């Protein structure tokens, strides 16, 4: 194995099992044995231990930092916490039974919705669909809502209720990830697959980061890589979605892939280039500007996907 692979494996079980699956291609039983440890060792176990008896983390369903129920569940999903584990069943049961969207900030008709019923913004609801589907919750009602909110240009936008008429990349990637996770859970759907393809085309027509009208870069921060990404968009997150969806890479992703490759350091790693502000329960990387195991793992598997043609 290479020095980079050894460095990736010298880490938390949440990273190790994904390296074994995506890069070193270990036998299924070896991968499963490592994945189980996410619930009992390291970051996953630490987050699970922080859940309150009322099912919440951070005392809130959602907030503008990263310590709440919404963001902790997303992180556990990205860690690959085994949905079949006893620890997972216990944590998700608490959320289903006790957590609603009620919060002192919210005076809304949906504030009493149970957590997995979602709220009103498709960027939030796309993520809730991802998490619920991954952890075995039937997300069909919320998926139906999202399908009805797809805009004519193919994507989604959280700001529709405030007058937006065109899609946004940030909302669209959250919804696409949710629809993909739901399809996996139910075994596929022609209708959802078609909606995903329309959303993918919205992004591909813009080369994942350029304005369709002028070709200019929409937001330079999209060319910097983060982990966790939370609800923010960047091209590495987009490419990792297309890899997960087993899409056939076409020439419209070539420039984005070139940018990923160009960010590799001389020692074969990728840096943590952009840390999104907000409190977290604990740090999972060494800091902004330092080598990032998460970005390195995701970049390497994206480049493998691109080389192999999907």
């Amino acid at each position: 194995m290479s020095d980079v692979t050894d460095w990736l494996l010298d880490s938390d079980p949440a990273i190790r099992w994904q390296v074994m699956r995506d890069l070193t291609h270990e036998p299924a039983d070896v991968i499963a044995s490592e994945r189980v440890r996410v619930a009992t060792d390291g970051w996953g176990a630490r987050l699970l231990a922080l859940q309150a008896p009322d099912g919440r983390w951070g005392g809130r369903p959602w907030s503008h930092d990263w310590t709440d129920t919404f963001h902790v569940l997303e992180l556990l999903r990205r860690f690959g916490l085994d949905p079949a584990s006893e620890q997972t069943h216990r944590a998700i049961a608490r959320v289903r039974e006790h957590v609603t969207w009620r919060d002192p900030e919210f005076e809304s008709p949906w504030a009493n919705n149970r957590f997995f019923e979602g709220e009103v913004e498709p960027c939030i609801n796309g993520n809730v669909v991802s998490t619920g589907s991954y952890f075995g919750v039937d997300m069909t009602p919320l998926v139906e809502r999202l399908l009805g909110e797809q805009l004519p240009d193919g994507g989604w936008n959280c700001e529709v209720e405030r007058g937006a008429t065109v899609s946004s990349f940030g909302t669209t990637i959250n919804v696409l990830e949710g629809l993909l996770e739901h399809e996996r859970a139910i075994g596929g759907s022609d209708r959802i697959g078609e909606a995903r393809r329309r959303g993918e085309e919205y992004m591909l027509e813009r080369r994942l980061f350029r304005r369709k009208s002028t070709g200019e870069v929409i937001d330079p921060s999209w060319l910097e890589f983060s982990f966790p990404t939370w609800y923010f968009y960047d091209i590495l997150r987009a490419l990792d979605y297309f890899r997960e969806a087993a899409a056939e890479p076409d020439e419209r992703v070539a420039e984005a892939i070139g940018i990923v490759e160009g960010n590799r350091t001389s020692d074969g790693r990728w840096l943590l280039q952009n840390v999104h502000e907000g409190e977290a329960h604990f740090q999972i990387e060494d800091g902004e500007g330092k080598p990032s195991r998460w970005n390195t793992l995701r970049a390497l598997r994206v480049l493998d996907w691109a080389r192999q043609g999907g």
Side-chain angles (χ1 to χ4, degrees), residues 87-141:
Q87 295 89 340
T88 303
H89 287 163
R90 184 164 55 247
I92 297 302
R94 287 176 178 168
V95 174
R96 295 182 73 166
E97 291 167 15
H98 302 298
V99 179
T100 71
W101 289 92
R102 176 164 292 285
D103 186 283
E105 286 186 10
F106 302 139
E107 292 295 337
S108 314
W110 49 266
N112 284 322
N113 283 12
R114 291 187 178 276
F115 183 84
F116 290 113
E117 292 174 343
E119 43 110 289
V120 294
E121 295 184 339
C123 50
I124 301 295
N125 288 341
N127 193 301
V128 174
V129 167
S130 289
T131 295
S133 298
Y134 178 85
F135 288 121
V137 181
D138 180 8
M139 301 305 300
T140 301

Side-chain angles (χ1 to χ4, degrees), residues 23-157:
L23 301 182
T24 63
H25 309 293
E26 303 293 334
D29 60 332
V30 175
I31 297 168
S33 295
E34 187 63 32
R35 185 182 185 184
V36 165
R37 295 183 60 212
V38 175
T40 59
D41 298 286
W43 301 326
R46 289 178 67 184
L47 286 178
L48 287 169
L50 291 170
Q51 188 183 28
D54 67 3
R56 297 189 297 176
W57 281 268
R60 308 178 79 169
W62 186 89
S63 65
H64 290 287
D65 63 28
W66 323 121
T67 60
D68 57 78
T69 304
F70 174 85
H71 290 105
V72 169
L73 287 176
E74 177 191 353
L75 202 52
L76 288 170
R77 168 170 58 85
R78 295 197 186 278
F79 286 172
L81 178 67
D82 186 352
S85 74
E86 177 185 343
Q87 295 89 340
T88 303
H89 287 163
R90 184 164 55 247
I92 297 302
R94 287 176 178 168
V95 174
R96 295 182 73 166
E97 291 167 15
H98 302 298
V99 179
T100 71
W101 289 92
R102 176 164 292 285
D103 186 283
E105 286 186 10
F106 302 139
E107 292 295 337
S108 314
W110 49 266
N112 284 322
N113 283 12
R114 291 187 178 276
F115 183 84
F116 290 113
E117 292 174 343
E119 43 110 289
V120 294
E121 295 184 339
C123 50
I124 301 295
N125 288 341
N127 193 301
V128 174
V129 167
S130 289
T131 295
S133 298
Y134 178 85
F135 288 121
V137 181
D138 180 8
M139 301 305 300
T140 301
L142 198 51
V143 168
E144 287 296 320
R145 174 172 184 151
L146 289 171
L147 293 177
E149 293 172 337
Q150 192 167 24
L151 294 171
D153 62 10
W156 288 263
N157 194 323

